Amino acid sequence: MGREHRVLRGAMKGALRLLYPPQCLGCGQPVGGAGDAGAGLCAECWRETRFITGTACGRCGAPLPDDGSGAPQETLICDDCLSIARPWRHGRAAMVYAGTGRQLVLALKHGDRPDLAPALAGWLSRAAAPLIRPGMIIAPVPLHPLRLLKRKYNQAALVSAHLARARGLEHVPDLLLRRRQTEGQDHRSVSDRFANVAGAIAANPRRAARAEGRAVLLIDDVTTSGATLAASAEALLAAGSGPVSVAVLARAVKDD
């Protein structure tokens, strides 16, 4: 019966694809396919999306020029990560926060587009592959309850749920809590960003034991200074977690 159900479901999906061809996540035009990295995008939107597939910072995932040294990627560190202490071990980002990448992140975050989460999680899953470890916990950066009520969902939690499912890892969406609502980080200096989130995030006392001694992969939508990720990682480590790594959909870079 299970096999018959799967066959029927596959046939229905095939029929729906004929009636309703896949649409580009960015512009809504029909999609013919632009390669694995850009699955779900038309050719034009794919060209406007800067996927981070080459040399990148091993701490935050920012793209780096290839110096030809052949050094392991986890040892390559960008200027920001050399000057700012990072409480996490390794990091990856799926794309640069510009062009179509920025458009999609903003649509997921503010445009009431939770339907984007599965495709974006697929991109992030590929980018984060070097960080995945057996027994690792996947957890999102939290939203304050008032902001969650206004937005209706935590975009990072939507992505982390799909990523955990794809990787067969435990997902703990409420591993971290926002203890106070913070002001937006836009247009703040780096030091102000860190001060704004200082002490705002803590491990959930009802879930902290599940992370004790275990590696954790933190998921967020976008990072600029890394202040929110740092506050989240520090909260996990203070609660006794194992090493923390981070993965974000998009990394803001200075030249974009």
Side-chain angles (χ1 to χ4, degrees), residues 140-144 154 156 173 176-178 200-202 218-220 228 232:
V141 167
L143 284 182
H144 188 273
N154 178 354
L176 291 169
L177 301 174
R178 289 260 186 173
I201 298 174
L218 267 176
I219 304 298
D220 206 0
T228 304
S232 300

Side-chain angles (χ1 to χ4, degrees), residues 2-169:
R3 182 178 180 277
E4 292 177 355
H5 178 73
R6 289 193 296 272
V7 171
L8 178 60
R9 186 171 58 184
M12 292 176 64
K13 286 183 177 180
L16 286 172
R17 280 194 292 270
L18 290 175
L19 291 172
Y20 306 101
Q23 294 181 320
C24 174
L25 299 173
C27 67
Q29 295 299 310
V31 175
D36 289 340
L41 297 175
C42 69
E44 184 173 349
C45 287
W46 181 76
R47 284 193 296 270
E48 294 297 318
T49 307
R50 187 178 169 189
F51 289 100
I52 303 174
T53 56
T55 305
C57 174
R59 290 281 174 81
C60 70
L64 295 174
D66 187 353
D67 63 3
S69 66
Q73 182 139 315
E74 60 269 18
T75 67
L76 299 173
I77 307 297
C78 71
D79 291 343
D80 283 349
C81 291
L82 285 173
S83 61
I84 302 173
R86 304 299 196 192
W88 63 83
R89 181 170 291 182
H90 301 300
R92 291 291 188 275
M95 53 192 170
V96 169
Y97 188 59
T100 302
R102 181 177 184 274
Q103 172 192 331
L104 292 173
V105 168
L106 290 176
L108 174 67
K109 189 171 185 175
H110 299 299
D112 199 22
R113 291 289 310 275
D115 58 292
L116 295 174
L120 298 184
W123 299 351
L124 186 56
S125 178
R126 285 188 287 271
L131 310 181
I132 302 298
R133 300 290 182 270
M136 176 178 264
I137 289 178
I138 308 293
V141 167
L143 284 182
H144 188 273
L146 292 179
R147 189 159 292 167
L148 181 61
L149 183 64
K150 180 179 180 180
R151 196 174 292 171
K152 297 182 288 189
Y153 57 84
N154 178 354
Q155 70 281 355
L158 292 181
V159 171
S160 61
H162 287 286
L163 190 153
R165 189 177 303 117
R167 292 290 176 176
L169 296 173

